[in-house]
Amino acid sequence: MARPRGWRNQVWETDHVQAAVLVDVDGEARRPWITWFTDCATNAITGVAVTPGNPSRESVLAALRSAVLREAPYGPFGGLPEKVRVDRGKDFLSRTVTAAFDLLDVTVEDLPAYTPHLKGTVEGLNRAVESMFLAALPGYVRQLRPGKRPSRPKDEVLLGFEDFTARLLDWARWWNTEHRPMPLRGRTPLEAWQDDPTPLRDVPASDLWTFTLEDAGTRTLTTRGIRFKRRDYVGAWMTGRAGIQVRIRFMPHHDHRVEVYDAAIGRYLGPADLADQATDEQISAVRRARAARSRRLRKDLEASRRERYAAVNQPAAPQRLGALTTAQAEAELAQSAGTDLSDLALQDLVPPAAPPAGWRTPASLAALTTPGLPAPVPSGRDSALVQPGPDRRTARPAADEDGDVL
């Protein structure tokens, strides 16, 4: 039950797929993620973005920008689609991405969960890129044939991330211009695209850049620049403009720069870069410290989960092993003494006020309250629930005629 092919830019489909190949990313072997858009009528790859780590809404926006633009090096495919199918991924349904689609007047079709057949064009592309391209690259992680797969050669040289991205884009170009999928009946996606007379909706690159940025609200421009996320951002164009209201937009996770617009008329003013930015050496040192702390925490977690019990050959209660000396126990407790926030809280710094005189207060609670004038009885609806007794030393909840507590 195949859908009618329709016309170009009628429906696009998009998805993330993790490449089944290891790539050298800053000296570490990683499997990059590919985010792309494909046109259902022509099987063309309209836009693609590659992320060394886990993808995010930034990956979707980067792929969308390359899909819509038709100028070099993205064309001739592109323009605005009428509809985009997604599979309930949180990145594709994030507030930033859905706002960008709304501004571009593109309908988002959120498919039900576990229904990959409803976006078969992009799912077929995910399978094709592995069998036709990734399987021939060094560092391929799948099993090529039944049976035990031999380990990767120790002298195998992985592709760098830049080299991998260049080869993937070349393969996408081959797919669009030379590959002849069976549904197109002997035509390439480029020929099917050019044979379709459907008019295209284009968006200027400057407007598209604005639409695919996350809005951070308005700020006041000061002599120190713009305050955003407890950090200052400055730009040379800010000279002499202190006091004006501006609107901030930024690419998600790219916290080194923000784009600034006039809050009143929406005119683009210029970029603002992070002030007092750390050097590359400082950033590398911080990352090494974070990695060492992460390894230490993982080691401690594994040690805490490793429990040993004595083996028995008669029915008996489980006996946990692992004896500690007094010095070892005290040293470990002293090391973790400053990590529990509940122990660090000063609960007796500001003792609570004494309850009203008409309340029945347990002795344990009365000893923790501040002596002096009692707190006033709450007013409003809550005060109606408290009816002091005749001697004004006891309080009873209000009850109806049958004695039920209200």
Side-chain angles (χ1 to χ4, degrees):
M1 299 296 293
R3 293 190 184 97
R5 298 205 66 82
W7 53 90
R8 64 181 182 181
N9 283 358
Q10 180 192 16
V11 180
W12 285 2
E13 293 178 356
T14 181
D15 197 12
H16 294 309
V17 60
Q18 188 175 23
V21 62
L22 292 174
V23 175
D24 185 4
V25 180
D26 291 337
E28 183 179 355
R30 289 176 174 266
R31 292 176 57 187
W33 286 80
I34 306 171
T35 306
W36 43 26
F37 288 83
T38 180
D39 180 60
C40 295
T42 62
N43 282 49
I45 301 174
T46 56
V48 60
V50 188
T51 311
N54 293 329
S56 64
R57 60 188 186 278
E58 182 243 348
S59 307
V60 180
L61 295 176
L64 176 62
R65 191 176 299 117
S66 68
V68 173
L69 291 178
R70 295 200 300 129
E71 57 192 29
Y74 306 111
F77 308 96
L80 290 178
E82 300 177 17
K83 181 190 297 185
V84 173
R85 294 194 186 105
V86 300
D87 60 353
R88 311 197 69 147
K90 64 178 183 178
D91 300 328
F92 299 100
L93 298 178
S94 63
R95 181 183 62 181
T96 304
V97 175
T98 53
F101 281 130
D102 289 340
L103 290 172
L104 297 174
D105 192 21
V106 177
T107 302
V108 178
E109 183 181 357
D110 184 16
L111 299 175
Y114 308 109
T115 55
H117 59 282
L118 296 182
K119 55 181 183 68
T121 304
V122 71
E123 293 292 345
L125 180 62
N126 292 339
R127 294 189 296 269
V129 69
E130 180 170 349
S131 60
M132 302 174 69
F133 171 65
L134 299 177
L137 296 181
Y140 183 64
V141 298
R142 306 279 193 216
Q143 184 173 336
L144 296 177
R145 61 184 64 85
K148 184 177 180 180
R149 179 181 184 273
S151 59
R152 298 202 335 265
K154 295 182 179 180
D155 57 348
E156 183 180 34
V157 179
L158 301 179
L159 293 176
F161 178 73
E162 184 178 0
D163 190 10
F164 171 79
T165 304
R167 295 192 184 196
L168 176 66
L169 295 179
D170 288 340
W171 181 84
R173 196 174 299 110
W174 169 85
W175 174 278
N176 285 339
T177 59
E178 300 182 28
H179 180 55
R180 301 179 184 275
M182 184 180 301
L184 298 183
R185 299 178 180 179
R187 296 182 299 170
T188 65
L190 178 60
E191 293 172 349
W193 181 274
Q194 293 174 340
D195 293 343
D196 194 330
T198 305
L200 303 175
R201 295 190 298 159
D202 289 323
V203 179
S206 58
D207 295 344
L208 183 62
W209 172 256
T210 303
F211 292 157
T212 53
L213 293 176
E214 188 164 335
D215 192 352
T218 58
R219 300 288 192 282
T220 300
L221 185 62
T222 66
T223 55
R224 298 180 55 184
I226 298 174
R227 192 71 175 174
F228 175 56
K229 292 185 177 180
R230 296 183 294 179
R231 301 188 295 184
D232 293 322
Y233 289 80
V234 297
W237 57 268
M238 296 180 180
T239 305
R241 297 189 178 186
I244 65 173
Q245 293 290 317
V246 297
R247 179 172 292 276
I248 298 177
R249 293 179 178 271
F250 66 99
M251 177 62 75
H253 311 300
H254 289 239
D255 49 6
H256 63 284
R257 169 175 291 189
V258 296
E259 306 294 335
V260 187
Y261 298 78
D262 191 295
I265 60 178
R267 182 170 59 89
Y268 178 64
L269 298 178
D273 295 317
L274 179 63
D276 193 23
Q277 188 170 353
T279 63
D280 293 339
E281 292 77 10
Q282 291 174 324
I283 295 176
S284 299
V286 171
R287 288 174 177 169
R288 288 194 298 269
R290 290 176 178 175
R293 185 168 63 250
S294 177
R295 289 193 299 268
R296 185 168 58 253
L297 292 176
R298 284 198 299 266
K299 184 178 179 180
D300 293 342
L301 179 61
E302 292 176 358
S304 64
R305 291 178 175 176
R306 191 183 304 117
E307 296 287 350
R308 294 187 180 277
Y309 290 88
V312 298
N313 50 22
Q314 295 293 333
Q319 180 184 357
R320 183 175 297 178
L321 303 178
L324 292 174
T325 64
T326 303
Q328 290 176 329
E330 291 178 351
E332 188 165 346
L333 291 176
Q335 185 178 3
S336 60
T339 58
D340 192 352
L341 296 181
S342 62
D343 294 339
L344 298 177
L346 302 178
Q347 300 178 357
D348 57 345
L349 183 61
V350 182
W359 285 19
R360 239 180 230 178
T361 307
S364 59
L365 178 59
L368 299 176
T369 58
T370 304
L373 295 177
V377 177
S379 59
R381 333 184 20 242
D382 297 337
S383 61
L385 300 179
V386 180
Q387 298 179 356
D391 56 357
R392 303 187 58 84
R393 290 181 301 175
T394 60
R396 298 178 182 177
D400 57 12
E401 297 178 355
D402 298 330
D404 297 330
V405 177
L406 296 178

